[in-house]
Amino acid sequence: MGADENLETVLRSATKEVAIGHHRRFCLIGERINPTGRKIFQEQLRAGDLSAIERDVKAQVEGGADVLDVNMGVPLTDEPELLARAIQLVQSLTDLPICIDSSVVEALEAGLSVYQGRALVNSVTAEDDRLAAILPLVKKYDAAVIALPNDHDEIPMEADKRLDLTAKIIRVATEEYGIAKADIVIDPLAMPIGADTSTALVTMETMRRIRDEHGVNMTCGASNTSFGMPDRHTLGAAWLPMAMTAGLTSAIMDTRTPQIVDAVKAADVFLNHDEWGMAWIAAHRAKAAATA
């Protein structure tokens, strides 16, 4: 038990490896390849036009993404077929590993079956039927998985309940499906503070306890936290470094926002996850050279 296990979640594309860990630099998972709330993108995808994905890949990669989340949840489409096509397209455009994002089990399987490398599956909950549907796929395709400690559509508001469900997920995944503990990435459930600012404290407590009691890696949808609030970039740039000190090791986020990306990279320096600040210095030099 505990964080001294130094668990690392290793993801791969055909040619590149990315490791998520408590002693490594924060892993930025680019969230943009997702049609949710994007009407024009949805219409293009319904018509079989995937060209916007190229722009999104380029923007997320240039912004500093380490991994790309690919979601093709478009109503009135064949999501398994669409997700498989999108993953193949993304893999032809970049060597970054992929987080395969769907609530449809058949789509996850379609995506995993064409993916070259070792993917991150997004996601499973603590509900028995979801664990039974998704964990065999994770094992079959030797993937890693994001797991949310909620059940029956209820998001527990107390850290204790989230910890109980985290322990359940880890137990079931490791003991019943033989999935390595390092391959379970827990989402501690970062809720929008616009509805209740105290939720952020519960999430931080959850993160600290998951890190101390289980040592597993964690991720979350970073932009969730500022939903409904003004000046969301400033909130995100404050929240992520705070979450990093509590044990968050990756986040699904829009890497097109330099203010937030820079805050994360700066936090890496102070947490001693960027030895001698070399990555920070190199990035600064590259920027200076580009504008010279």
Side-chain angles (χ1 to χ4, degrees), residues 25-37:
R25 281 189 281 147
F26 195 77
C27 178
L28 309 176
I29 304 173
E31 72 180 1
R32 188 69 186 159
I33 308 164
N34 187 330
T36 307

Side-chain angles (χ1 to χ4, degrees), residues 162-214:
R162 293 183 194 181
L163 265 291
D164 288 346
L165 292 173
T166 295
K168 173 190 171 175
I169 291 164
I170 293 172
R171 186 183 72 247
V172 171
T174 56
E175 294 176 13
E176 293 179 30
Y177 294 95
I179 293 167
K181 199 172 162 191
D183 293 326
I184 304 161
V185 180
I186 300 289
D187 182 332
L189 303 173
M191 306 297 292
I193 56 161
D196 177 2
T197 45
S198 71
T199 61
L201 298 176
V202 177
T203 302
M204 302 273 185
E205 183 195 342
T206 304
M207 288 176 190
R208 282 192 292 270
R209 288 176 58 187
I210 288 172
R211 178 188 61 193
D212 295 346
E213 293 172 31
H214 299 289

